[in-house]
Amino acid sequence: MPNLDLLVTFLAIHRTGSLTAAAARRGLTQPAVSGQLAKLEQELGTPLFVRSGRGVVPTAFADDLAARVGPHLDQLTVELDTGSQVSGTVRLGGPAEMMAARILPALAPLTSRGLRLDITLDLAENLLAALYDDQLDLVMSAIRPKRGNVVVTTFVDEEFILVGPPPLARTIDAARLAEDPVKALAHLPLVAYDRNLPIIRRYWRSEFGRRPPNATSITVPDLRAVLAAVVAGAGVSVLPRYIAEPALTAGSVEILHQAQVQPLNTAFLVTRPGGLATPSIALVHDQLKARSRVWGAL
């Protein structure tokens, strides 16, 4: 089993995409990082990275290794680093709903250690554009970036469920729902996040093989507001479980359909190459990765 230092250095290289950036993050010289990488590759008996014009590209084995050891090392780093002070401001972007429900509660304890957070709330495309323009340091993105000059880390899976208030749930014919769910649900008005119904449409296509024929009663670009409208009886909607969970527990909404394969959307943490060499950005990144293990599928 490789020692911890080698694995920490490996993870720094994997996340920064550069030996130089990994050395800065680890507080080591580049030759020292190269030596540790060579030793780890020798112990594992396989190359981990291929050099490119922009740094290094991980092999498939390296990606698998990072996925296996990364969460454990993140948790260990956070636990060992609890009392240390940190300076600097991290410019963090993400969707308003997840920021309020998960991200800020997870990061708030770091502010007592001197960290400052500058939060931007927006859609993923706009946040990634701001990251490319050096206006943000770290983005929680609901889509995988298409550009290659960023460092992308898988963050957490969002689980989506179809929910509605009990009075509307009682209007669904169970036998028809099993036989023809699209027709069984067609009379229910939809509460949507966007006019194009991106979340609802994806659920219908994934589960039923077609777009929803339902009328839309309310369109509002905030998932918390969508839930409030559903609870108030305006219609039904597809929501991340972490948004709907309090209302499910209270009994103010019900799950209307049990998916054969639960629809998931993977969220990513995205930063620029070398960004994780900055201690404050690395701390936020590692804290979120550590907490994501506790959250599981949201």
Side-chain angles (χ1 to χ4, degrees):
M1 177 67 184
N3 71 47
L4 203 57
D5 276 344
L6 299 184
L7 291 174
V8 171
T9 295
F10 155 74
L11 199 62
I13 299 170
H14 188 273
R15 288 178 173 173
T16 61
S18 162
L19 296 180
T20 302
R25 180 173 184 180
R26 294 279 285 130
L28 301 171
T29 65
Q30 184 171 332
V33 166
S34 297
Q36 288 188 352
L37 174 60
K39 183 175 181 181
L40 180 60
E41 289 178 326
Q42 182 179 15
E43 290 186 10
L44 296 175
T46 184
L48 296 172
F49 298 96
V50 177
R51 292 186 179 275
S52 71
R54 293 181 175 178
V56 292
V57 178
T59 62
F61 183 92
D63 284 336
D64 179 67
L65 180 62
R68 286 187 287 116
V69 306
H72 303 287
L73 292 178
D74 289 335
Q75 185 65 49
L76 183 60
T77 299
V78 169
E79 291 180 0
L80 293 177
D81 218 21
T82 300
S84 63
Q85 291 296 302
V86 61
S87 61
T89 298
V90 176
R91 301 169 298 171
L92 176 65
E97 300 88 349
M98 185 178 286
M99 194 69 73
R102 296 292 189 181
I103 304 298
L104 290 180
L107 297 179
L110 300 181
T111 62
S112 65
R113 295 164 53 188
L115 181 72
R116 295 182 297 278
L117 296 170
D118 185 350
I119 305 298
T120 299
L121 307 175
D122 209 333
L123 298 176
E125 293 88 346
N126 298 333
L127 294 172
L128 291 172
L131 179 73
Y132 300 144
D133 291 339
D134 197 21
Q135 297 173 18
L136 292 174
D137 301 309
L138 184 64
V139 166
M140 201 295 292
S141 174
I143 59 175
R144 179 181 282 276
K146 295 180 180 178
R147 288 174 55 170
N149 59 335
V150 289
V151 177
V152 181
T153 306
T154 300
F155 178 36
V156 71
D157 287 327
E158 295 178 283
E159 176 189 348
F160 288 92
I161 53 178
L162 174 61
V163 297
L168 287 181
R170 289 194 289 270
T171 68
I172 302 172
D173 183 278
R176 175 172 281 190
L177 182 64
E179 180 182 339
D180 191 339
V182 173
K183 286 186 178 180
L185 300 170
H187 67 288
L188 298 171
L190 302 175
V191 181
Y193 179 85
D194 182 273
R195 293 187 185 116
N196 293 322
L197 313 180
I199 300 173
I200 296 172
R201 188 177 69 245
R202 178 181 175 187
Y203 187 97
W204 249 254
R205 282 182 169 170
S206 170
E207 287 301 304
F208 313 137
R210 55 170 292 189
R211 291 173 58 100
N214 309 52
T216 301
S217 62
I218 295 178
T219 302
V220 54
D222 187 302
L223 294 177
R224 295 161 298 183
V226 169
L227 176 62
V230 170
V231 169
V236 305
S237 194
V238 177
L239 290 166
R241 180 177 285 275
Y242 76 93
I243 293 290
E245 196 68 56
L248 285 169
T249 302
S252 51
V253 300
E254 299 177 8
I255 295 178
L256 305 181
H257 171 258
Q258 295 295 337
Q260 293 295 317
V261 178
Q262 204 64 47
L264 299 175
N265 183 62
T266 300
F268 303 92
L269 292 175
V270 189
T271 189
R272 291 182 303 281
L276 295 178
T278 302
S280 56
I281 300 174
L283 179 63
V284 169
H285 182 280
D286 293 347
Q287 175 85 342
L288 291 176
K289 280 295 295 180
R291 289 301 297 273
S292 71
R293 292 193 66 219
V294 178
W295 298 334
L298 296 180

